[in-house]
Amino acid sequence: MLTEMTTDPARRPGHSDVLVGLQYGDEGKAKIIDLIAPDYDVVARFNGGANAGHTIDTPAGRVVLQQVPSAVFHPGCELYIGSGCVLNLVKLRDELALLRTVGVDLADRLRISDRCAVVQPVHFLLDQRTGAAIGTTGNGIGPCYADRAARTRDGVRCNLQLRDLLEDPEGTAALMLAAVERELKEEADAGERLAAERERIAAMRESAEALRPMVTTDRTHLARRVADGARVLFEGAQSLMLDVVQGDQPYVTSSHTLPGHAYVGGDLPPRYHRHTIGVAKAVVSRVGHGPFPSELGAERSAAYFAEACRTGRGRTEEQAEHDPQQLLGSADPLDVGTALRMLTGEYGSGTGRPRRIGLLDLEQLREQVTLHGVDVVYLNKTDCLAHYRDSHYGGVPVQLAAAAPGEPGSERIEVLPVFDAEQVRAAVAGLPGLDGVPASMLAFKEYVEQRIGAPVIGLGLGPERDCTAEFARPGTLPAGLPAALPAARQAGG
Ligand code: IMP
């Protein structure tokens, strides 16, 4: 049971770290949070909503989490959903119910800001109508954030927060219904659909009531906890390249994914910030449309993805048609990308959609590290790089600069020695401890550090939490650490 904190002047204040994905999402942030959560008292979300998602296999069954912060399996961690998030109330209630079936009851551990915006039926409708051109997740995220900024439409409130639904359920439900009614009135089957929307709104009201005990009206909750010594980890949803301003419009999400924003959407003053932790992966993927400078197969891969979205083509079809090992040997980067997707399981966790695949883009990482002051980096999926051994590259290709339009860009790629797959497996078996990590992999780590200008403190060697070779924990580094290692300054320029 969490006890209410009173600010104790005798206690030293705690601190907060912010963890963000450095690429296009799906970097394995949840796995790293699961690893480092024991070092924190609170894990908090500050942006996004049910567009995020990760699957966790537990002895009691599989759970898919979208809105609850990732540290659910650490009973000592409080979980907090900050005011910068947008809530799908029905899905959130379902997530909590699912967690109870695997023995995790969050009733006393989860707090939700009453200022979170509620994703309304009209938002799903609009996202489903217009989101396909961007490749959104269809969760109503964009229209919800748009209404949050708009505040009113035709003089009527359109941004409805959780507190509205709890303080005036009747009036708030009426506003939601009116909004969706306006959008549906031209449709042939408006009557039928409106009946379904009424039911959806009723379910949202019920869900809000079920969540009420977890909702906090105390805006100083986190600030007081940290003032009293608590250690907070902010969990960024989506990733830096999908930020609404810094990403490439319009192929972005609608929230700020940047670490600085943790202190807006996460309800904590920035004075407690200690480290910014970045998570990247060695075989890069992107879902959704938009620029992807290191994409294997470039425009052809993007077109293949667009077609897969249209036709529903996914994992099953690719497995039926291709032998990945054969594709890997092809001189065509598109084939290599397809092979890597198949061999490393890069398909949407919910949809099964193929993800676009790209080379590890060190230039892009260097820019993100510099722009956001990333102190330390975890690099996941390094075990997957071993597949490049059988490709025409003959080693691990990394991208050092974006190819100019119309240029093949091969001169911007450097090929590094590939690690020995056997040794990597031995390293995994030998964990914890770094004795088993092959020298070639350590050389790779150092090369990456010099290129991106930040220390790599963990290498992901497999999907499980204990498959991470850790070199340091964020907390073991001195506060205010300069982002660049000495050697990075020469290599990065
Ligand atoms: P939205 O966030 O649903 O509006 O989608 C906008 C873009 O962000 C689309 O390209 C999505 O595929 C992408 N996106 C949103 N959430 C995630 C995520 O958690 N991982 C990866 N991509 C995401």
Side-chain angles (χ1 to χ4, degrees):
M1 176 80 183
L2 294 169
T3 49
E4 269 306 318
M5 305 296 290
T6 51
T7 306
D8 175 358
R11 283 193 72 178
R12 285 188 52 197
H15 56 255
S16 55
D17 291 342
V18 184
L19 180 143
V20 289
L22 300 177
Q23 295 154 332
Y24 303 93
D26 308 310
E27 296 95 348
K29 298 184 279 290
K31 183 183 102 163
I32 302 302
I33 287 172
D34 196 34
L35 181 74
I36 65 179
D39 297 344
Y40 299 91
D41 303 299
V42 184
V43 175
R45 289 265 311 255
F46 62 89
N47 74 310
N51 48 347
H54 57 272
T55 306
I56 306 174
D57 284 311
T58 79
R62 173 169 282 198
V63 291
V64 179
L65 300 181
Q66 292 186 292
Q67 297 177 91
V68 174
S70 290
V72 287
F73 293 104
H74 296 271
C77 265
E78 177 188 328
L79 307 173
Y80 182 77
I81 300 180
S83 61
C85 296
V86 294
L87 294 178
N88 180 324
L89 295 169
V90 175
K91 273 195 179 173
L92 181 55
R93 189 187 58 174
D94 290 350
E95 253 177 72
L96 298 182
L98 183 64
L99 281 167
R100 280 195 297 276
T101 67
V102 297
V104 177
D105 189 344
L106 296 185
D108 293 327
R109 282 176 53 203
L110 175 65
R111 280 171 202 259
I112 309 163
S113 164
D114 70 337
R115 298 202 171 233
C116 291
V118 170
V119 182
Q120 305 170 39
V122 70
H123 298 148
F124 294 109
L125 186 75
L126 294 173
D127 199 18
Q128 274 147 23
R129 263 191 207 155
T130 59
I134 297 169
T136 70
T137 64
N139 280 290
I141 305 296
C144 184
Y145 276 113
D147 270 356
R148 192 180 77 163
R151 297 151 296 162
T152 61
R153 292 200 190 274
D154 301 326
V156 179
R157 279 192 62 193
C158 58
N159 173 34
L160 302 174
Q161 295 173 314
L162 182 51
R163 62 207 287 248
D164 297 310
L165 203 49
L166 292 174
E167 283 166 17
D168 177 14
E170 207 61 48
T172 307
L175 286 174
M176 289 202 251
L177 188 65
V180 75
E181 206 167 4
R182 254 196 316 277
E183 285 302 325
L184 281 176
K185 69 175 184 288
E186 305 295 327
E187 310 270 334
D189 55 352
E192 218 172 287
R193 289 178 65 181
L194 212 53
E197 298 301 354
R198 276 204 183 86
E199 272 175 35
R200 200 203 281 256
I201 292 170
M204 288 173 64
R205 283 177 64 174
E206 274 170 31
S207 302
E209 274 313 316
L211 296 168
R212 188 187 284 273
M214 293 168 234
V215 177
T216 179
T217 56
D218 177 7
R219 284 184 278 165
T220 64
H221 172 69
L222 269 197
R224 289 188 302 112
R225 284 221 60 189
V226 180
D228 280 347
R231 301 154 303 167
V232 173
L233 176 63
F234 283 112
E235 168 180 4
Q238 293 75 55
S239 290
L240 299 185
M241 301 307 295
L242 294 178
D243 178 75
V244 65
V245 173
Q246 294 289 342
D248 290 303
Q249 282 282 341
Y251 305 107
V252 290
T253 193
S254 310
S255 67
H256 286 289
T257 60
L258 314 178
H261 192 77
Y263 296 98
V264 182
D267 312 320
L268 187 72
R271 67 151 65 113
Y272 299 113
H273 183 70
R274 187 182 64 161
H275 292 310
T276 300
I277 305 164
V279 183
K281 62 180 175 180
V283 174
V284 186
S285 72
R286 176 167 193 161
V287 282
H289 310 305
F292 185 2
S294 69
E295 184 166 15
L296 281 160
E299 296 85 6
R300 288 180 300 138
S301 165
Y304 179 86
F305 171 78
E307 181 66 5
C309 290
R310 214 178 49 74
T311 58
R313 192 183 150 77
R315 186 198 297 261
T316 318
E317 291 74 12
E318 287 197 337
Q319 270 166 0
E321 280 168 32
H322 301 301
D323 170 3
Q325 218 50 51
Q326 201 179 349
L327 283 185
L328 202 55
S330 160
D332 184 345
L334 182 67
D335 290 341
V336 177
T338 306
L340 283 173
R341 172 166 58 245
M342 295 178 74
L343 292 166
T344 64
E346 287 288 0
Y347 297 88
S349 40
T351 57
R353 278 195 304 190
R355 294 177 179 152
R356 300 157 66 192
I357 302 294
L359 302 183
L360 178 60
D361 188 338
L362 296 178
E363 172 60 16
Q364 185 182 72
L365 284 180
R366 187 177 72 91
E367 186 183 48
Q368 296 305 310
V369 162
T370 308
L371 182 59
H372 302 293
V374 176
D375 296 302
V376 291
V377 172
Y378 285 90
L379 185 62
N380 275 329
K381 284 205 147 185
T382 52
D383 54 320
C384 298
L385 294 172
H387 293 300
Y388 280 118
R389 173 196 299 280
D390 301 323
S391 75
H392 74 278
Y393 295 106
V396 178
V398 292
Q399 178 102 4
L400 300 183
E407 277 185 33
S410 58
E411 74 280 10
R412 297 160 199 271
I413 291 171
E414 187 155 326
V415 179
L416 308 176
V418 80
F419 330 123
D420 187 294
E422 286 303 316
Q423 278 185 313
V424 172
R425 268 193 287 280
V428 175
L431 290 175
L434 299 173
D435 293 348
V437 178
S440 54
M441 188 178 246
L442 291 178
F444 173 79
K445 168 180 126 63
E446 277 162 28
Y447 178 89
V448 171
E449 288 173 334
Q450 290 183 4
R451 282 280 168 190
I452 69 175
V456 174
I457 60 168
L459 293 175
L461 298 169
E464 298 82 20
R465 170 170 48 155
D466 58 1
C467 281
T468 305
E470 277 196 286
F471 303 90
R473 277 280 164 96
T476 62
L477 300 167
L481 178 90
L485 294 173
R489 295 196 189 98
Q490 308 146 22

